[in-house]
Amino acid sequence: MTVAKTRQERTRDAILDAAAALFLRNGFLGASMDEIAAVADVSKQTVYAHFHSKEALFLDVVRGLTGVAGDVHQEQVTEPLDDRPIADYLQEFAELQLTIVMTPKLMQLRRLVIGEVERFPELGKALHALGPQRSINRLSRAFAHYRKLGQLEADDLEAAASFFNWLVMGGPVNDAMLLGDAAIMPAEACRGQAAESVRIFLAAFGPRAKHQA
């Protein structure tokens, strides 16, 4: 059953939506609390009642956008609890991860955070924890399951998870970061990128990899 949001929750959501749009469009310095209040259709005092500073609001925007992407992925790709082949699980995990992350909004957010990380190191920490590190942690747990099943050979599960995560995401993310939104991988290319990443990863960590070395 869906529980209706309170007026305070709706106000907070309106402020976060307005702030996200303005920060992504104008950057941290280019977005003012007056503008955010106007777009959210609330007073500036109301904005400060919910967020004590512009920096706190910015951090909540980063956490919110990144966390929602991770939540969607976790809801659609469940933890492996049976003998489903590891290749099938990794293909689904990687393809959906690319589809969710490779969007103009999340690439703009990543560029914005990188540009502000020296002034606000908490932004980078939040993006890392809720983005790539969350995926690596989930993969590590899945790899422990598949190692028990004999479908994976890896001594350091977190290192293997990190390797797979960046094998999937490294090239596409760097292209979009440096070349702009026009370089964002189209949805139809995500399947091929995921499949090639799975092939390379299992060539190194699959059950026959060590015996063939």
Side-chain angles (χ1 to χ4, degrees):
M1 183 178 69
T2 302
V3 179
K5 290 186 176 182
T6 65
R7 180 178 179 182
Q8 188 174 27
E9 289 171 332
R10 292 195 300 272
T11 298
R12 180 183 175 86
D13 287 348
I15 294 169
L16 285 169
D17 288 344
L22 289 168
F23 283 140
L24 290 176
R25 189 180 71 195
N26 301 331
F28 177 77
L29 293 177
S32 72
M33 294 295 258
D34 287 311
E35 286 181 298
I36 292 168
V39 172
D41 196 24
V42 299
S43 69
K44 189 162 71 170
Q45 288 77 12
T46 299
V47 175
Y48 278 108
H50 285 270
F51 305 94
H52 66 270
S53 68
K54 184 179 173 183
E55 290 79 6
L57 176 54
F58 192 21
L59 182 57
D60 264 27
V61 166
V62 172
R63 285 174 174 158
L65 291 176
T66 309
V68 165
D71 290 345
V72 171
H73 191 277
Q74 189 160 340
E75 287 169 5
Q76 296 189 34
V77 183
T78 58
E79 302 284 330
L81 299 173
D82 51 21
D83 59 355
R84 178 188 185 190
I86 187 173
D88 293 351
Y89 171 77
L90 291 178
Q91 176 68 31
E92 183 182 19
F93 189 102
E95 190 174 343
L96 185 61
Q97 186 179 28
L98 284 163
T99 302
I100 291 173
V101 174
M102 300 306 298
T103 63
K105 178 179 284 188
L106 287 182
M107 290 299 100
Q108 289 164 18
L109 178 69
R110 186 178 288 259
R111 294 186 202 108
L112 181 58
V113 169
I114 289 173
E116 300 290 348
V117 75
E118 289 300 322
R119 274 192 299 170
F120 308 120
E122 289 303 315
L123 292 174
K125 292 177 183 177
L127 182 62
H128 185 266
L130 294 170
Q133 192 59 53
R134 182 176 181 179
S135 294
I136 290 166
N137 291 344
R138 291 189 63 210
L139 285 166
S140 296
R141 292 193 296 271
F143 288 175
H145 171 75
Y146 282 116
R147 186 167 64 180
K148 288 179 183 178
L149 294 180
Q151 295 190 36
L152 184 79
E153 294 189 2
D155 297 324
D156 188 331
L157 294 177
E158 184 168 358
S162 181
F163 177 78
F164 181 72
N165 181 78
W166 294 115
L167 187 63
V168 173
M169 303 301 298
V173 168
N174 276 335
D175 285 349
M177 291 294 295
L178 297 174
L179 301 177
D181 290 351
I184 289 176
M185 178 173 283
E188 59 270 18
C190 291
R191 179 180 295 273
Q193 169 71 10
E196 186 65 2
S197 299
V198 172
R199 183 190 68 78
I200 294 169
F201 179 79
L202 291 181
F205 293 96
R208 294 183 298 277
K210 287 189 176 180
H211 302 300
Q212 294 174 347

